[in-house]
Amino acid sequence: MAASLRVRWAVYLLVCGLVPWAGVKTVWTLGGDALGVNGEDWLRGVESDGDAVYQALAAVGIDLTVLAALLGVFLALGLVHRWGMVFPRWTLFLAGRRVPAFLPLAPAWGVGLCLGVYGVVLLVLVPLSLVGVIVRFAPPAPFTSSGDVTWMILFGGLAFGGSGVPSSWGRGPTDGVCLRRSGQPRGLADASSGEGGGGGRP
């Protein structure tokens, strides 16, 4: 049983917050310029500070953090769709088997909650900086202005909050797919209890 249409649309809208942040980082990784940052300067920073995996992916135009964020989106979508509870056909030998409850919920409640909180904090800091409650963000290299950094922090808040918050919801009690202690979706658990007792009670 998938989540309600309202919950699914809420998740879709939240994960769309990833688009500006991922778009800017992808432009940089491909050598383009965005938010006052020169793509070549960005790639030089990756070459000097990034590890081997980061550098290898950047060499083919893929940003490692964007790739990780996309995996988070995949997890968030799995929590509100049926294929997140029952392995789909393309999983071959696992197809049709129930997804263990801990498999999506452990990273959802752990990593998802941390990312969600981090994103919300960034979204709070941006307006506080703009109205002068806190000091404006200093532009670290390769940024050249405080305004550009502020935009990137805003994009980061939308991205981390948008991918982390839905994951931390993790089959909560209001989305129609929460788990019982048995690990069954609510609808299946209620149905099985009804069959065992000669029919469900109102």
Side-chain angles (χ1 to χ4, degrees):
M1 180 178 177
S4 66
L5 182 61
R6 181 176 61 182
V7 171
R8 277 182 284 166
W9 272 108
V11 171
Y12 297 155
L13 290 174
L14 284 170
V15 297
C16 281
L18 179 70
V19 174
W21 176 82
V24 170
K25 297 209 72 176
T26 300
V27 169
W28 288 338
T29 306
L30 293 174
D33 302 341
L35 295 181
V37 174
N38 182 273
E40 294 182 358
D41 293 338
W42 175 263
L43 291 175
R44 278 195 293 269
V46 170
E47 292 174 356
S48 60
D49 301 330
D51 57 25
V53 175
Y54 204 125
Q55 294 176 12
L57 290 174
V60 294
I62 300 175
D63 184 271
L64 180 61
T65 57
V66 172
L67 187 61
L70 292 177
L71 292 177
V73 169
F74 178 79
L75 173 62
L77 294 178
L79 291 171
V80 296
H81 284 277
R82 185 178 180 277
W83 53 264
M85 297 191 298
V86 178
F87 286 106
R89 297 177 183 176
W90 50 264
T91 55
L92 301 178
F93 300 108
L94 295 174
R97 297 185 180 184
R98 186 178 301 281
V99 177
F102 70 87
L103 190 60
L105 292 180
W109 287 342
V111 179
L113 182 60
C114 294
L115 287 179
V117 171
Y118 179 58
V120 170
V121 170
L122 293 181
L123 292 175
V124 171
L125 290 178
V126 168
L128 291 179
S129 173
L130 292 176
V131 299
V133 175
I134 61 175
V135 179
R136 285 184 173 267
F137 303 111
F143 287 93
T144 57
S145 73
S146 175
D148 294 332
V149 176
T150 302
W151 275 111
M152 197 57 188
I153 293 175
L154 174 62
F155 292 164
L158 292 173
F160 296 126
S163 59
V165 170
S167 296
S168 62
W169 283 349
R171 296 176 179 176
T174 60
D175 65 7
V177 286
C178 76
L179 298 180
R180 297 298 179 90
R181 289 183 181 272
S182 63
Q184 286 183 317
R186 174 178 292 181
L188 294 177
D190 291 344
S192 60
S193 64
E195 292 172 1
R201 296 180 181 178

